[in-house]
Amino acid sequence: MGYDPAWSPDGKHLAYSHGLIPASGVAVLDVESGHTELLTTSGRDPEWSPDGRYIAFVRNRRLWSAGSLATLSTRTYRPRVRVPRHADEVWIVDMETHEVRRICEGTHPQWGRRSGRLYYTSRQNNTLYSVSLTPKDARPVEVLSPCGPSPVISPDERYIADHTFRELRIIDADSKEVVATWIAPPSPLGNLGVSWSPDGRELSIGGSNPSE
């Protein structure tokens, strides 16, 4: 079982969060052979780099063994105790060396298709950052502040789709000017899910009612 799938750039592999939302690892499915490889636990929300070498993912330091993940079931899972939630962190796994490396505290990783930089959101100060993977001690660069919980960079990295509750704003990444806005209907009540088309000319927008 799994969720949040992400295709590799060559379309031959599918990375996904393996397990349940409270407890998951990052796995990769070989589409042709059907073989699944569990890369790391814990982790969720994998995203491939444009060159296919890296997978960025979110980890919150709640570690689960491979055996524990294998036996999880939506029918039988019951949280025994409330475990304190650690701050989310962005990590990467190198698909050539299988090295797993922490990048920073943050969430919602995404890749710039033009620059290859890794974008992420800091919940501490509501800021969108970008960082280069080389050198390893490269400092992050502020892209947009303040921002909503999950801003999305366009494929050409010219625009940011940012939303807070029902308001969606398209922001020029250089000037920080708002170039378009849209107000979502009253339902769904939850945060919007936004995704750019490959050519960056259109957006898909979805949502859900968390209380239902």
Side-chain angles (χ1 to χ4, degrees):
M1 77 188 75
Y3 58 99
D4 284 339
W7 285 104
S8 63
D10 61 9
K12 296 181 179 180
H13 297 85
L14 191 68
Y16 64 97
S17 304
H18 177 77
L20 303 177
I21 291 178
S24 63
V26 176
V28 171
L29 169 68
D30 185 304
V31 176
E32 182 175 348
S33 68
H35 174 73
T36 297
E37 179 183 7
L38 183 62
L39 298 179
T40 183
T41 62
S42 65
R44 69 179 195 276
D45 305 339
E47 290 291 337
W48 291 87
S49 63
D51 60 5
R53 174 163 181 178
Y54 300 100
I55 295 177
F57 63 95
V58 177
R59 172 176 281 177
N60 61 19
R61 298 299 183 98
R62 187 177 180 182
L63 299 178
W64 298 79
S65 69
S68 298
L69 290 177
T71 59
L72 281 175
S73 168
T74 54
R75 296 181 179 180
T76 60
Y77 176 76
R78 296 291 185 276
R80 296 181 180 178
V81 294
R82 181 175 292 275
V83 179
R85 185 177 180 83
H86 295 274
D88 285 340
E89 298 174 339
V90 176
W91 289 62
I92 61 168
V93 54
D94 188 323
M95 295 303 292
E96 292 185 3
T97 66
H98 280 206
E99 175 193 9
V100 180
R101 174 159 61 101
R102 181 186 183 275
I103 300 299
C104 58
E105 185 173 308
T107 191
H108 194 59
Q110 54 190 304
W111 297 90
R113 299 192 179 280
R114 181 184 61 185
S115 68
R117 294 176 66 86
L118 179 61
Y119 289 78
Y120 66 92
T121 305
S122 170
R123 295 283 174 82
Q124 287 188 329
N125 57 6
N126 299 319
T127 299
L128 175 66
Y129 291 98
S130 75
V131 65
S132 173
L133 297 189
T134 55
K136 289 187 176 182
D137 59 351
R139 298 182 63 85
V141 175
E142 181 180 303
V143 179
L144 179 66
S145 183
C147 68
S150 52
V152 185
I153 196 75
S154 65
D156 60 9
E157 300 174 72
R158 292 180 58 193
Y159 300 103
I160 304 163
D162 186 35
H163 59 89
T164 302
F165 193 48
R166 291 172 52 202
E167 182 185 23
L168 173 66
R169 302 179 301 158
I170 307 301
I171 301 170
D172 185 287
D174 291 330
S175 67
K176 306 301 185 291
E177 293 183 0
V178 178
V179 298
T181 60
W182 181 71
I183 302 298
S187 181
L189 300 176
N191 284 325
L192 300 177
V194 180
S195 180
W196 290 93
S197 63
D199 60 8
R201 301 182 63 180
E202 296 178 313
L203 285 168
S204 63
I205 304 168
S208 62
N209 286 331
S211 60
E212 295 183 355

